[in-house]
Amino acid sequence: MTILIDNKEYLLDKQYSSFGEIINEITKKLKGEDKILEKIVVDGVVLTTTSIVDISKVSLIEIYTKSHRNILFHSLYLLEEYIEEYFKSLKALEEFELEEIAYDMKMNEILSFLNWTLNLLYSLKENTYVDYLYFGYNEFLDDFKESYNSLIKALTQEDYETAFDILEFEISDMLSLLSENIENYKNDIILEEQSSNNSN
């Protein structure tokens, strides 16, 4: 049986009796290289979560990976689109164009987006050098988290006026600033990824 990880042959440390054990070993190896599994192909067939593999009949396992930086790079593309949608949603809320149920749904979409954005900002800090490259990044992250928590508190207390002020005057400004820096963040991630690949 041959195992290829990103088209490079990988030799197992020992014999394994199950496919799951092999994947566990490979996953541990990838973790040490700051990579995660993206796709597994067994004898030319892409595996799904419901696939059952009889290891005795397998001749070729192909593993394709992504680095955390690669995932963050694609997330930043999504962030650009989501920020545009955020401002459209905010305008709809501001103009009272929505029925109560639609209003609540739109607000929940905004909250989900802001939570996702906060997690992305933390992931950028943990997996790149963004907090070293950009003066004030940590303060920006703290401010974003504080505004997000204040928004949650206001909504919990049904203080919608305060909640909307936070969205309009705090979070919107921060998202605009973030939007201006996305391209720089993506370029930095590309450079870090290239540097990492060259050192391997």
Side-chain angles (χ1 to χ4, degrees):
M1 179 177 61
T2 303
I3 299 175
L4 300 178
I5 300 178
D6 294 328
N7 297 315
K8 292 180 182 177
E9 187 168 3
Y10 175 70
L11 300 175
L12 294 172
D13 293 338
K14 59 181 182 179
Q15 289 281 71
Y16 289 101
S17 59
S18 74
F19 182 73
E21 289 176 341
I22 293 173
I23 296 304
N24 283 340
E25 180 189 316
I26 291 171
T27 301
K28 287 176 187 174
K29 166 191 162 48
L30 295 177
K31 190 174 181 182
E33 297 175 0
D34 192 33
K35 292 181 178 179
I36 60 172
L37 281 170
E38 180 184 22
K39 183 170 67 174
I40 303 173
V41 181
V42 176
D43 291 332
V45 178
V46 178
L47 290 196
T48 65
T49 53
T50 58
S51 298
I52 298 173
V53 178
D54 181 353
I55 198 67
S56 66
K57 298 177 181 177
V58 173
S59 59
L60 175 64
I61 299 174
E62 298 169 90
I63 305 285
Y64 296 94
T65 69
K66 271 188 176 180
S67 71
H68 287 98
R69 284 185 295 268
N70 195 284
I71 294 168
L72 288 171
F73 183 83
H74 291 289
S75 295
L76 287 171
Y77 268 109
L78 292 175
L79 180 60
E80 289 179 296
E81 296 175 20
Y82 293 165
I83 288 175
E84 287 181 20
E85 287 302 314
Y86 163 84
F87 282 108
K88 289 177 186 175
S89 297
L90 192 63
K91 191 167 191 274
L93 293 177
E94 185 179 17
E95 294 175 354
F96 302 103
E97 294 176 351
L98 305 171
E99 298 292 329
E100 185 176 349
I101 293 175
Y103 184 95
D104 290 341
M105 287 177 62
K106 192 62 72 176
M107 186 60 79
N108 285 332
E109 285 176 15
I110 287 174
L111 289 175
S112 294
F113 158 65
L114 294 176
N115 183 56
W116 179 85
T117 302
L118 184 60
N119 288 327
L120 175 58
L121 293 172
Y122 274 111
S123 292
L124 279 169
K125 178 179 176 177
E126 290 167 9
N127 295 288
T128 72
Y129 296 111
V130 67
D131 52 328
Y132 294 104
L133 295 172
Y134 296 92
F135 177 78
Y137 183 87
N138 289 325
E139 289 80 2
F140 176 84
L141 182 52
D142 290 341
D143 289 345
F144 194 94
K145 181 180 179 182
E146 185 178 341
S147 291
Y148 175 73
N149 288 335
S150 297
L151 174 63
I152 297 292
K153 182 179 178 182
L155 288 171
T156 302
Q157 297 172 345
E158 298 185 356
D159 184 355
Y160 299 110
E161 186 176 347
T162 298
F164 196 81
D165 284 347
I166 292 168
L167 285 170
E168 189 172 24
F169 299 113
E170 295 179 25
I171 290 175
S172 290
D173 286 348
M174 285 186 273
L175 288 174
S176 294
L177 181 62
L178 184 57
S179 183
E180 291 171 10
N181 284 308
I182 288 175
E183 206 58 42
N184 291 330
Y185 295 161
K186 287 194 293 189
N187 289 336
D188 292 328
I189 287 172
I190 290 171
L191 290 174
E192 283 186 41
E193 189 71 2
Q194 289 173 342
S195 174
S196 175
N197 290 338
N198 290 337
S199 63
N200 290 338

